[in-house]
Amino acid sequence: MIQRLAIYPGSFDPVTKGHLDIVVRTSKLANHVIVAIGKAHDKRLLFSLEERVALLTSEIEGLKLPSVSVAAYDGLLVDYARTVGASILVRGLRTIADFEREKTMSALNHALDPTLETIFLPASEDTRLISSSAVKELVRYGKTLGFVSDAVAQALFKKLEVG
Ligand code: ADP
């Protein structure tokens, strides 16, 4: 049997139910999935790398999927993929804007390493409105719309000193 290792990279600031939906669906396509948080990131982040890894790890444990693990990586994603022996990168698409950005990213990654393929999964109907940035904005007004788990909601309220 061909062993397929997939990496699902992201900021996960914080992990949402939209992310978890992609994780569950990816676990059916690959023998193993590494949900990976890059150490270097140019976006303004709310949670530290350690906090994001801890939240993500606890959410992934809750899924009870033995073929999924969490990791943090340093440097270029393609280099990390080569180091762990991954052949697939997975990204989720909610909008055309996601697609435009992701298309460029996947072309860059393919230029860096032609053996690495990016697979796009369309957001599910019931999670397509979810984004980490929307959750962070909502929490400032005491709402989450059920976009994240109770544990992640608590972490957000604490971090933003709301409620
Ligand atoms: P990044 O900063 O790398 O975009 P994110 O944590 O925002 O990190 O997103 C990681 C990946 O998850 C991206 O491919 C993003 O499009 C996807 N994603 C985020 N939210 C959803 C969702 N609700 N449904 C499907 N895919 C999603």
Side-chain angles (χ1 to χ4, degrees):
M1 191 172 78
I2 301 171
Q3 291 295 313
R4 292 201 195 285
L5 172 59
I7 297 179
Y8 175 35
S11 319
F12 304 103
D13 185 45
V15 55
T16 67
K17 290 183 185 173
H19 293 131
L20 296 178
D21 177 69
I22 297 289
V23 170
V24 171
R25 290 161 60 200
T26 304
S27 73
K28 294 171 187 158
L29 303 174
N31 302 86
H32 193 87
V33 185
I34 301 176
V35 188
I37 306 183
K39 282 186 188 163
H41 219 284
D42 54 4
K43 276 205 274 184
R44 263 193 61 112
L45 298 163
L46 179 64
F47 291 98
S48 70
L49 177 68
E50 291 71 26
E51 290 169 328
R52 286 179 288 139
V53 168
L55 287 171
L56 187 56
T57 302
S58 129
E59 296 292 304
I60 296 291
E61 276 169 11
L63 295 177
K64 306 234 178 302
L65 293 172
S67 64
V68 180
S69 55
V70 173
Y73 69 93
D74 222 347
L76 273 180
L77 180 57
V78 292
D79 293 335
Y80 175 65
R82 198 175 298 129
T83 307
V84 295
S87 54
I88 302 170
L89 294 179
V90 174
R91 298 285 286 173
L93 297 181
R94 289 157 294 188
T95 59
I96 295 290
D98 274 354
F99 176 66
E100 288 297 337
R101 192 181 50 248
E102 297 295 338
K103 193 171 63 169
T104 306
M105 280 304 301
S106 76
L108 279 173
N109 284 329
H110 198 263
L112 289 164
D113 183 350
T115 67
L116 201 55
E117 285 294 349
T118 301
I119 291 180
F120 297 137
L121 292 183
S124 295
E125 198 53 41
D126 52 351
T127 48
R128 71 188 167 81
L129 294 178
I130 302 177
S131 68
S132 297
S133 47
V135 172
K136 284 181 276 191
E137 194 58 26
L138 285 168
V139 163
R140 292 181 199 278
Y141 303 97
K143 302 185 192 307
T144 67
L145 287 178
F147 284 0
V148 292
S149 72
D150 289 347
V152 173
Q154 286 315 311
L156 276 161
F157 285 127
K158 195 167 161 209
K159 181 63 104 180
L160 293 167
E161 292 172 353
V162 182

